[in-house]
């Protein structure tokens, strides 16, 4: 029954393909972006939780890539 | 340099921590009672307020929103201040968040046993409480974003991204799923009906697990694990991919809760594919956590905080592998409606959320009280008892789940059901229910040990209400930064832009799934023989909801031969067009009731409700004898019929003022007469009469006109 209902909605077959395409483009973008980040920056970011108390200097000093 | 001195607010963290411990023990205790009632139905002492159907939602709400909810706020209020190098945006909002949340929990603890429920899983609370939740959540979100905006640290650590995604997505989910039409102060009907209601509910239900139980705790993992291990996260790059991958994919996977139901095929397949893809970011996150401990495993041996974390992260990995596997349609056909689902939920709840919460509590109490943990040995005992508890819980329940699934599907070589009596399959797994309660007891005992340990820790130290800290605000230090404004740095330097992008990411999946829902609404073929419920049936259905019958009985026959042989014709979408809310259920501790109408005489139902074991020896259903004596709330009828009409059920205007009452009395008199034939004398104004009316109606409409439905297949 549902197949019949949905077949009557124009272009319903595209939904699945479009969904996967959106995801593929999005995920590839994130991947490229993450890979392009400098390792120095990533190291500084990773160190953030360890520097939370009584830190007199902000982290921005350390990022000079 | 413009060094600023400020104070972190520890009071609010302590308040949430204490609430976490108390509600954790309460929630687990209610779970224990529910577990015992499953093998000893008399454990409710014949009190309606603590029957399984009413305390099951109490247990799930207490554990999810009270225990994990408070644990989440505790962790976020501690970590956020330190990651932002700023006190919370507003102390008033912090305390409003705290007391508001506790008030909501207390109101849930009162209303659910009283039977005030919408029946939608993890969203059972009635409309005034739903509004309160929305208000408190908005306050939390404002406090969160306010703190991020006034931060002194330029960069937003990945944990903050997870917190933001949590706040925004939960708001969207809660509001969408809470669209109800009030009929009175504590009674409302879902605006959606049948299939639409099911789709919205499980879009919500799935993502509540994602964005209430998972993303905030992942954020906390990214903060507390490096703190406890005293080393940065294994790969910050991986954490970025983890975040975007997870929040983007999760929202698409909701339909896997409705496989083989009346949901469109393509949506089911999409839910399945995206569920499988979820393994990648989930395991990326798990490995990122575990690899953080590389070279530090000696610490894990000594530090209970790390021990709990390692098990929690491993449980996260196991649950996020199992979930996608259960979303494969063929696996789901076996696992759905069985205790397998319960086992899956508890591997996440006990292992991931429970153990991670314990680790945070063991980490935070000594910090807040400026002392050492009172007893590491006791914490280690807690760890081993808790781990044993998880094992004793999960193993029997997995066995029970698979046994149920296999027995339901088993045919003899002649092609008949091997176990045609549903009760046989449940009696078979009752020993597993007993064993499970041993596991639960161990786990609860561990939590009580922890409460004592934390209490003694607090007594042995001195509470520090504020922690002083110093930092240079990044705006003032910006001149010394020569960093190029790369896209990502710009992005996480601008929390509002980041927030918008995160919302877009989660909304894409939601919109793609919800658009077809509205299309369906206009295209569900109506079955002409399906009519609105009669007034007596409406009140009976409300009793069915009040008693939480759907906690054990589904109303959705899947298109399998094993189900159609047992229950009758499989369920059609057109049968549910007047079901506000849908009552498909997700669990079978008793048989499906979608075609219950006409199966048994009225007197059978009367006797069965009075004492299920009188008609079904060995049944684990509790007695519902109060239904035989309590008077039916007929005064509520006009309000309810009017509310139902407002959500689209075609009752004629004015029907509720007179004609409805006459119809109700006539139908009640008919049932009383039928009962008399079965040697039962009953009064027409008792609740049982309405419930019998509803049960006898279930699934009967379609029988009146089978030709119409068959053309729609």
């Amino acid at each position: 029954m549902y197949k019949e209902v949905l077949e009557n909605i124009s272009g319903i077959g595209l939904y699945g393909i479009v969904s996967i395409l959106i995801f593929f483009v999005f995920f590839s973008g994130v991947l490229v972006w993450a890979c392009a980040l400098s390792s120095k920056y990533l190291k500084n970011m990773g160190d953030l939780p360890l520097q939370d108390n009584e830190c007199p200097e902000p982290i921005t000093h350390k990022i000079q890539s | 340099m413009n060094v600023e001195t400020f104070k972190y607010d520890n009071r609010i963290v302590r308040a949430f921590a204490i609430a976490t411990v108390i509600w954790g023990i309460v929630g687990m205790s209610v779970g224990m009672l529910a577990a015992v009632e499953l093998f000893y139905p008399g454990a409710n002492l014949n009190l309606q307020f603590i029957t399984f159907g009413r305390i099951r939602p109490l247990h799930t709400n207490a554990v999810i929103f009270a225990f994990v909810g408070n644990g989440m706020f505790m962790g976020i209020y501690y970590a956020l201040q330190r990651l932002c190098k700023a006190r919370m945006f507003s102390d008033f909002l912090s305390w409003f968040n705290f007391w508001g949340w506790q008030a909501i929990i207390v109101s849930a603890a009162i209303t659910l046993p009283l039977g005030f429920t919408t029946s939608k899983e993890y969203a059972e609370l009635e409309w005034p409480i739903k509004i309160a939740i929305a208000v408190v959540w908005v306050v939390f979100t404002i406090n969160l974003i306010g703190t991020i905006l006034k931060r002194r640290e330029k960069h937003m650590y990945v944990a903050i991204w997870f917190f933001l995604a949590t706040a925004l997505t939960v708001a969207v989910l809660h509001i969408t799923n809470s669209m109800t039409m009030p009929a009175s102060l504590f009674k409302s009907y879902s605006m959606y009906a049948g299939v639409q209601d099911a789709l919205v509910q499980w879009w919500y239900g799935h993502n509540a697990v994602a964005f209430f139980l998972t993303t905030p705790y992942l954020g906390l993992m990214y903060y507390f694990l490096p703190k406890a291990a005293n080393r940065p996260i294994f790969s910050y790059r991986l954490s970025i991919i983890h975040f975007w991958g997870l929040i983007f994919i999760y929202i698409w996977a909701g339909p896997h809760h409705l496989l083989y139901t009346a949901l469109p095929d393509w949506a089911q397949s999409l839910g399945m594919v995206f569920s499988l893809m979820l393994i990648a970011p989930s395991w990326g996150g798990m490995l990122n956590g575990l690899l953080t401990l590389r070279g530090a495993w000696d610490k894990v041996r000594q530090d209970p905080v790390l021990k709990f974390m390692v098990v929690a992260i491993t449980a996260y990995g196991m649950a996020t592998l199992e979930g996608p596997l259960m979303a494969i349609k063929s696996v789901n056909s076996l696992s759905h409606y069985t205790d397998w689902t319960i086992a899956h939920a508890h591997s996440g709840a006990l292992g991931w959320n429970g153990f991670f919460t314990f680790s945070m509590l063991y980490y935070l109490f000594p910090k807040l009280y400026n002392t050492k943990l009172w007893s590491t040995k006791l914490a280690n005992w807690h760890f081993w008892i808790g781990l044993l508890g998880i094992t004793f819980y999960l193993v029997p329940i997995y066995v029970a789940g698979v046994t149920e699934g296999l027995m339901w599907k088993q045919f003899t070589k002649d092609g008949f059901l091997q176990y045609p009596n549903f009760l046989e399959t449940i009696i078979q797994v009752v020993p597993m229910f007993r064993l499970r309660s041993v596991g639960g007891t161990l786990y609860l005992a561990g939590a009580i040990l922890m409460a004592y340990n934390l209490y003694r820790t607090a007594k042995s130290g001195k509470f520090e209400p504020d922690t002083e800290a110093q930092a240079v605000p990044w705006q003032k230090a910006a001149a010394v930064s020569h960093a190029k404004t790369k896209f990502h740095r710009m992005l996480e330097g601008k929390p509002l832009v980041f927030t918008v992008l995160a919302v877009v990411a989660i909304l894409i999946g939601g919109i793609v799934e919800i658009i077809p829902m509205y299309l369906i609404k206009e295209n569900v073929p109506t079955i002409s023989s399906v009519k609105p419920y009669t007034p007596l049936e409406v009140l009976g259905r409300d009793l069915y909801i009040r008693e939480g019958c759907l906690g054990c009985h589904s109303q959705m026959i899947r298109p399998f031969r094993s189900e159609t042989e047992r229950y009758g014709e499989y369920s059609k979408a057109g049968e549910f067009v007047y079901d506000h809310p849908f009552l498909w259920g997700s669990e079978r501790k008793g048989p499906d009731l979608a075609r219950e109408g006409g199966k048994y005489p009225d007197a059978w139902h009367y006797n069965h409700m009075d004492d299920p074991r009188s008609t079904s020896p060995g049944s684990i259903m509790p007695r519902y004898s109060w239904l035989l004596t309590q008077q039916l709330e007929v005064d509520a009828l006009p309000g309810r019929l009017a509310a139902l009409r407002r959500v689209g059920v075609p009752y004629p205007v004015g029907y509720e003022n007179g004609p409805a009452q006459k119809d109700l009395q006539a139908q009640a008199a008919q049932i009383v007469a039928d009962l008399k034939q079965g040697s039962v004398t009953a009064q027409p104004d008792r609740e049982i009469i309405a419930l019998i009316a509803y049960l006898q109606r279930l699934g009967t409409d379609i029988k009146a006109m089978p030709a119409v439905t068959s053309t729609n297949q």
Side-chain angles (χ1 to χ4, degrees), chain A residues 1-3 5-6 9 15 19 23 33-34 37 41-42 45-46 49-50 52 54-56 58-59 61 63 65, chain B residues 8 82 153 155 157 195 223 227 236-237 240 249 252 262 264-265 468 470-472 488-489 515 519 573 712:
Chain A
M1 174 181 69
Y2 265 87
K3 272 186 190 151
V5 173
L6 288 159
I9 300 168
Y15 266 80
S19 307
F23 169 75
W33 167 27
L37 292 167
Y41 164 79
L42 290 167
M45 287 305 289
L50 304 173
D52 53 5
E54 291 91 45
C55 173
I59 196 77
H61 288 279
I63 300 170
S65 59
Chain B
Y8 297 133
R82 282 150 182 87
E153 168 57 57
H155 296 283
Y157 183 63
V195 180
Y223 178 78
K227 292 298 282 182
Y236 194 79
R237 185 175 277 131
I240 294 173
I249 301 178
W252 298 74
D265 251 4
E468 198 163 274
Q470 289 185 319
V472 180
H488 178 241
R489 290 179 212 174
I515 287 175
L519 294 176
N712 286 326

Side-chain angles (χ1 to χ4, degrees), chain A residues 1-6 8-10 12-24 26-27 30-65, chain B residues 1 3 8 82-83 85 153-157 195 223 226-227 231-232 236-237 240-241 244 248-249 252 262 264-266 270 273-274 277 467-472 477 480 483-484 488-489 491-492 508 512 515-516 519-520 523-525 573 711-713:
Chain A
M1 174 181 69
Y2 265 87
K3 272 186 190 151
E4 193 179 292
V5 173
L6 288 159
N8 293 333
I9 300 168
S10 56
I12 193 72
L14 281 176
Y15 266 80
I17 299 160
V18 167
S19 307
I20 300 287
L21 269 180
I22 292 172
F23 169 75
F24 184 75
F26 179 87
F27 195 73
V30 170
L31 212 60
V32 168
W33 167 27
C35 290
L37 292 167
S38 79
S39 38
K40 196 172 181 184
Y41 164 79
L42 290 167
K43 188 184 173 325
N44 283 322
M45 287 305 289
D47 285 339
L48 269 182
L50 304 173
Q51 303 171 346
D52 53 5
N53 280 324
E54 291 91 45
C55 173
E57 296 187 4
I59 196 77
T60 41
H61 288 279
K62 293 172 186 163
I63 300 170
Q64 305 206 343
S65 59
Chain B
M1 296 300 284
V3 177
Y8 297 133
R82 282 150 182 87
L83 286 169
K85 294 195 173 74
E153 168 57 57
K154 178 173 182 183
H155 296 283
M156 273 166 54
Y157 183 63
V195 180
Y223 178 78
K227 292 298 282 182
R231 51 185 53 223
Y236 194 79
R237 185 175 277 131
I240 294 173
I241 299 169
W244 287 106
F248 191 82
I249 301 178
W252 298 74
D265 251 4
W266 73 270
L270 198 69
V273 171
F274 272 90
M277 293 198 309
T467 301
E468 198 163 274
Q470 289 185 319
V472 180
V480 290
K484 284 184 218 165
H488 178 241
R489 290 179 212 174
L491 188 62
E492 44 105 57
I508 290 175
V512 171
I515 287 175
L519 294 176
I520 292 168
N523 287 281
V524 169
T711 57
N712 286 326
Q713 301 317 306

Side-chain angles (χ1 to χ4, degrees), chain B residues 403-638:
Chain B
T403 306
E404 288 159 0
L406 292 175
M407 287 178 86
W408 294 347
K409 285 179 176 295
Q410 189 63 44
F411 282 95
T412 63
K413 62 181 184 342
D414 298 324
F416 297 106
L417 283 172
Q418 175 105 41
Y419 307 101
N421 184 0
F422 184 90
L423 191 51
E424 262 183 289
T425 67
I426 283 296
I427 289 174
Q428 183 73 26
V429 297
V430 163
M432 297 299 140
F433 291 166
R434 290 178 200 275
L435 267 178
R436 178 258 299 270
S437 69
V438 174
T441 308
L442 287 172
Y443 195 86
L444 175 61
I448 293 169
L449 283 187
M450 176 193 71
Y452 180 67
N453 202 358
L454 296 178
Y455 169 74
R456 293 299 299 255
T457 305
K459 290 294 263 185
S460 69
K462 190 173 181 305
F463 178 62
E464 202 173 88
D466 301 290
T467 301
E468 198 163 274
Q470 289 185 319
V472 180
W474 66 271
Q475 294 89 339
K476 290 180 183 168
V480 290
S481 170
H482 303 294
K484 284 184 218 165
T485 316
K486 286 189 180 171
F487 177 63
H488 178 241
R489 290 179 212 174
M490 181 200 76
L491 188 62
E492 44 105 57
K494 288 184 169 41
L496 294 179
V497 178
F498 176 89
T499 304
V500 170
L501 282 181
V503 171
V504 169
I506 62 127
L507 283 184
I508 290 175
I511 289 167
V512 171
E513 283 176 3
I514 281 174
I515 287 175
M517 182 188 86
Y518 283 103
L519 294 176
I520 292 168
K521 193 174 184 179
E522 286 146 25
N523 287 281
V524 169
T526 47
I527 302 171
S528 59
S529 60
V530 173
K531 298 274 187 283
Y533 295 105
T534 66
L536 189 62
E537 289 158 4
V538 164
L539 294 182
R541 193 170 196 269
D542 290 343
L543 291 172
Y544 187 93
I545 291 170
R546 183 187 81 185
E547 299 300 343
C549 302
L550 75 163
C552 293
H553 295 280
S554 57
Q555 286 187 23
M556 169 50 65
I557 302 168
R558 296 177 294 172
F560 301 139
R561 195 174 151 247
S562 59
E563 301 224 342
T564 52
E565 284 290 305
R566 188 184 297 279
Y567 304 118
E569 181 69 18
Y570 67 87
S571 301
K572 316 288 190 297
E575 292 182 80
F576 303 103
V577 289
Y578 301 125
D579 278 16
H580 297 267
F582 80 112
L583 295 175
W584 295 359
S586 62
E587 176 66 22
R588 285 178 187 156
K589 294 278 189 291
D592 187 281
L593 299 180
R595 304 254 175 262
E596 184 69 6
K599 265 192 186 170
Y600 302 101
D602 290 351
W604 184 91
H605 284 292
Y606 188 95
N607 293 325
H608 182 247
M609 286 294 164
D610 185 24
D611 182 4
R613 279 151 294 283
S614 69
T615 53
S616 317
S619 168
I620 57 168
M621 181 165 140
R623 294 182 64 184
Y624 286 90
S625 41
W626 55 87
L627 294 175
L628 276 55
T629 52
Q630 281 176 183
Q631 206 160 358
L632 188 63
E633 211 185 337
V634 185
D635 295 347
L637 191 61

